[in-house]
Amino acid sequence: MNGAKNAGEAVNIQLPEMKVAAEMGTMSGPLVAPRPSRSVHGKMDIAHVVLRLACLLTSVTALSLMATAKQASTLSLYGFNVPVRSNWSFSDSFEYLVGVSAAVAVHSLLQLLISGSRSLRKSPAIPSRNHAWLIFAGDQVFAFAMLSAGSAASGVTNLNRTGIRHSALPNFCKPLHAFCDRVAASIAFAFLSSLFLAISTVLDVVWLTKY
């Protein structure tokens, strides 16, 4: 009887201690950091897919507009009608924009296929930190490349619209307005594509910092 009584008292003494320990653990927070929920991962995956799709569409549009930019017309110079012909391949800056747009389109298509397939399998679009670092580096490189290509092409387009200062050369975009309009639209989509890549880079940083 005395042994049973002592055992009962020991249990009564240990139970409050365990309760206090449990309360302290609850107040101080969990000992192991919680993993991100599926809803958070799902929102990040959807954002990645949307950005990849937008970047793919804008880069393909910039590529198609620039690659089809050509026109032939006549230019009045000192009373003479001079035939002029324009083509995107005549400018190194335009060729650079076409090349970068094609590379960005391929990059966006690959990432879109990978993210879309993993989302359909209910898997995270970015499976590991190494994969996230790889995507971050690629997005950053292509964002700067697209931005530089658009800037270089816009300088040539501005020169065609305003002519060369302190010279008698006219505004070439007057007789070649269709060519200049297509080039300007291509450059606008190139800048828009670089913006989407920059936003994707920010999401990559958020993923690396949180997960």
Side-chain angles (χ1 to χ4, degrees):
M1 292 293 291
N2 292 333
K5 183 177 181 181
N6 293 334
E9 293 177 353
V11 171
N12 292 333
I13 294 173
Q14 289 177 359
L15 287 177
E17 292 178 354
M18 294 173 61
K19 184 177 180 181
V20 172
E23 291 177 353
M24 290 179 63
T26 304
M27 293 174 61
S28 60
L31 299 177
V32 180
R35 293 184 178 182
S37 61
R38 288 182 177 270
S39 61
V40 176
H41 269 306
K43 292 179 181 179
M44 292 288 291
D45 294 346
I46 292 173
H48 274 287
V49 171
V50 171
L51 284 174
R52 296 302 176 193
L53 181 60
C55 187
L56 176 62
L57 293 177
T58 51
S59 59
V60 169
T61 303
L63 172 63
S64 60
L65 286 173
M66 184 62 76
T68 57
K70 56 184 177 179
Q71 187 181 4
S73 183
T74 58
L75 175 65
S76 179
L77 187 63
Y78 297 111
F80 298 95
N81 291 327
V82 181
V84 292
R85 186 168 65 94
S86 59
N87 196 307
W88 66 272
S89 60
F90 295 164
S91 173
D92 294 336
S93 298
F94 295 163
E95 291 181 342
Y96 176 51
L97 189 143
V98 169
V100 173
S101 298
V104 170
V106 172
H107 169 74
S108 301
L109 179 60
L110 289 176
Q111 296 300 328
L112 178 62
L113 292 176
I114 294 173
S115 300
S117 62
R118 293 188 67 87
S119 297
L120 291 177
R121 297 197 306 265
K122 305 299 182 181
S123 301
I126 303 178
S128 63
R129 290 184 64 86
N130 291 333
H131 187 75
W133 278 112
L134 182 62
I135 294 177
F136 169 73
D139 290 341
Q140 195 171 23
V141 169
F142 284 117
F144 281 114
M146 185 64 87
L147 185 62
S148 66
S151 300
S154 63
V156 177
T157 305
N158 185 61
L159 179 65
N160 288 334
R161 289 186 180 277
T162 59
I164 302 177
R165 187 176 296 179
H166 306 305
S167 70
L169 291 179
N171 179 5
F172 289 101
C173 282
K174 286 183 178 180
L176 303 173
H177 57 88
F179 170 80
C180 291
D181 290 342
R182 294 185 75 86
V183 169
S186 175
I187 295 171
F189 278 102
F191 282 128
L192 192 59
S193 179
S194 66
L195 176 62
F196 288 135
L197 284 169
I199 297 174
S200 180
T201 303
V202 173
L203 283 183
D204 295 337
V205 173
V206 171
W207 195 98
L208 288 169
T209 55
K210 288 189 175 182
Y211 309 126

